[in-house]
Amino acid sequence: IIFLDTNNLMCNHGEYDQLDELEKYECDEMFYKLPETFVEKHGEDGITVTLEKAKEIQNYNFQTTRDEQLKWFKEQVMDADNDDNIKFVLIVGHHALFSQGPHKIPRIFNENVQKILRMSNKILSWFCGHNHALEHYIWNRQTHSENDKVHLTELHQILSGSGGREIHKMTEQPVESVLDDVKLGYLGKEFGFV
């Protein structure tokens, strides 16, 4: 299992002006406006995130550059692919590759991560959250790949987000109508855990 910190793969300081509104929101949420917007209080029994904790989270997000994180991720995937003792790989990260929820299909994230995911014959699934619902997609990694050595072509993305908070309305354009290499396995407008 590879645990991938996906925050710094979403946006980069030098490309902020090239982002669409959703991408700017995601970038702001993780890096720029976090201390001001992350302070939350949810009643007597709920969570309190202090400004100090929010700054700690922001500092963590800045520890590693996207290039460093992609290099590390690629090394983990290739090491696993070359190790005969490892039969399959599962990846766990916060952000989804695709969703019909409000976070949609993160363009920059996919441009960077899909190249690495297309390299391996052992990756079975991508487990994630971020959107508040239960979704399952099957991605055919071979459709637009230049790597013809990958024989395990299907990657299953399992999105199980929310953890009890409000459920997102899953009203964005269906992923399979936007991408020709993804098909819907399940779309649950409900709480759910895999």
Side-chain angles (χ1 to χ4, degrees):
I1 298 175
I2 298 174
F3 293 94
L4 179 63
D5 179 2
T6 57
N7 282 345
N8 61 5
L9 300 177
M10 296 296 287
C11 69
N12 210 335
H13 306 295
E15 63 199 13
Y16 192 81
D17 292 339
Q18 302 163 24
L19 304 177
D20 65 27
E21 289 307 309
L22 178 62
E23 291 167 334
K24 285 180 181 178
Y25 167 79
E26 299 279 358
C27 197
D28 287 344
E29 183 180 54
M30 285 177 288
F31 295 107
Y32 301 110
K33 297 178 182 172
L34 184 64
E36 292 82 19
T37 60
F38 203 82
V39 179
E40 296 183 21
K41 293 181 181 177
H42 296 287
E44 290 178 23
D45 299 320
I47 299 169
T48 300
V49 178
T50 63
L51 185 60
E52 182 179 307
K53 181 64 176 173
K55 286 181 180 178
E56 183 182 312
I57 293 167
Q58 185 181 44
N59 288 337
Y60 173 79
N61 286 346
F62 276 122
Q63 281 181 359
T64 308
T65 67
R66 179 191 291 151
D67 289 342
E68 291 169 330
Q69 186 73 349
L70 288 169
K71 180 178 183 261
W72 176 86
F73 181 43
K74 182 177 179 180
E75 287 169 359
Q76 300 306 304
V77 168
M78 298 318 299
D79 286 352
D81 222 44
N82 294 322
D83 187 335
D84 292 336
N85 294 314
I86 297 174
K87 302 302 178 200
F88 59 88
V89 175
L90 306 175
I91 300 172
V92 179
H94 180 73
H95 294 91
L97 298 166
F98 345 93
S99 176
Q100 193 173 324
H103 299 291
K104 304 179 191 177
I105 304 166
R107 176 181 53 92
I108 293 172
F109 181 60
N110 275 287
E111 286 173 2
N112 287 284
V113 172
Q114 282 192 13
K115 294 172 194 170
I116 297 169
L117 296 175
R118 291 181 196 276
M119 296 177 175
S120 173
N121 272 304
K122 294 185 180 178
I123 300 173
L124 297 178
S125 294
W126 179 278
F127 292 90
C128 57
H130 200 45
N131 283 291
H132 297 184
L134 182 61
E135 295 177 88
H136 171 221
Y137 292 98
I138 302 133
W139 174 42
N140 185 330
R141 296 180 294 155
Q142 196 63 34
T143 300
H144 299 287
S145 177
E146 296 174 10
N147 181 1
D148 59 0
K149 294 182 171 79
V150 174
H151 307 291
L152 180 63
T153 60
E154 286 188 346
L155 182 143
H156 293 262
Q157 177 189 275
I158 310 293
L159 185 152
S160 181
S162 183
R165 294 190 71 172
E166 78 283 350
I167 297 171
H168 284 156
K169 294 179 180 173
M170 306 303 280
T171 56
E172 297 300 325
Q173 193 170 3
V175 173
E176 63 277 14
S177 71
V178 177
L179 302 174
D180 65 352
D181 54 353
V182 177
K183 57 184 182 179
L184 178 66
Y186 178 77
L187 176 62
K189 299 174 185 179
E190 62 205 3
F191 292 117
F193 296 94
V194 180

